[in-house]
Amino acid sequence: MRTINNRTFTETESIDLTIGSFIISTLFFIFYILSNGSTTLLVVASPFAFSALIVNAIMLFHLTDKFIQLSEQRKDIGIKILILLSNIPILFLYYSIAIKV
């Protein structure tokens, strides 16, 4: 007989990373739009975008590893993975708008 484990996955760093990446990228996008497409802002934002991509990929691999290892907590971990991946369409929208500016 299988016992029911009601423990939740208490790791919050992925949510913090997702919210932080979203806020900073949104601020860069707003400053870029307000500066009428300034290339100097792109020079500042590009290293952030690259580092955010690397750090978010590392967190995705971490969550995927935990998803595989902790079968009792897959629902919580799956939700955190989806929240982390939710930044992709938002950033694609920002990129699409910025190209038209």
Side-chain angles (χ1 to χ4, degrees):
M1 180 188 264
R2 185 173 169 174
T3 59
I4 297 175
N5 186 355
N6 290 332
R7 293 185 329 196
T8 58
F9 187 66
T10 59
E11 182 269 331
T12 61
E13 288 83 11
S14 63
I15 303 296
D16 297 340
L17 177 65
T18 302
I19 292 170
S21 296
F22 174 74
I23 290 172
I24 294 171
S25 62
T26 301
L27 289 174
F28 275 133
F29 176 70
I30 290 170
F31 291 146
Y32 180 75
I33 296 298
L34 292 177
S35 70
N36 293 324
S38 172
T39 56
T40 56
L41 189 60
L42 288 179
V43 171
V44 174
S46 295
F48 167 76
F50 180 71
S51 63
L53 178 70
I54 299 296
V55 172
N56 280 302
I58 291 170
M59 182 59 74
L60 178 62
F61 289 131
H62 168 72
L63 288 175
T64 304
D65 180 49
K66 294 299 180 188
F67 186 82
I68 293 168
Q69 288 179 0
L70 304 173
S71 61
E72 312 86 40
Q73 299 170 352
R74 283 191 177 160
K75 182 180 177 185
D76 294 335
I77 298 169
I79 290 171
K80 290 179 190 280
I81 289 172
L82 289 175
I83 291 170
L84 182 68
L85 292 175
S86 69
N87 271 339
I88 294 172
I90 294 168
L91 295 179
F92 182 73
L93 175 69
Y94 290 170
Y95 178 73
S96 299
I97 293 171
I99 296 251
K100 294 178 183 179
V101 169

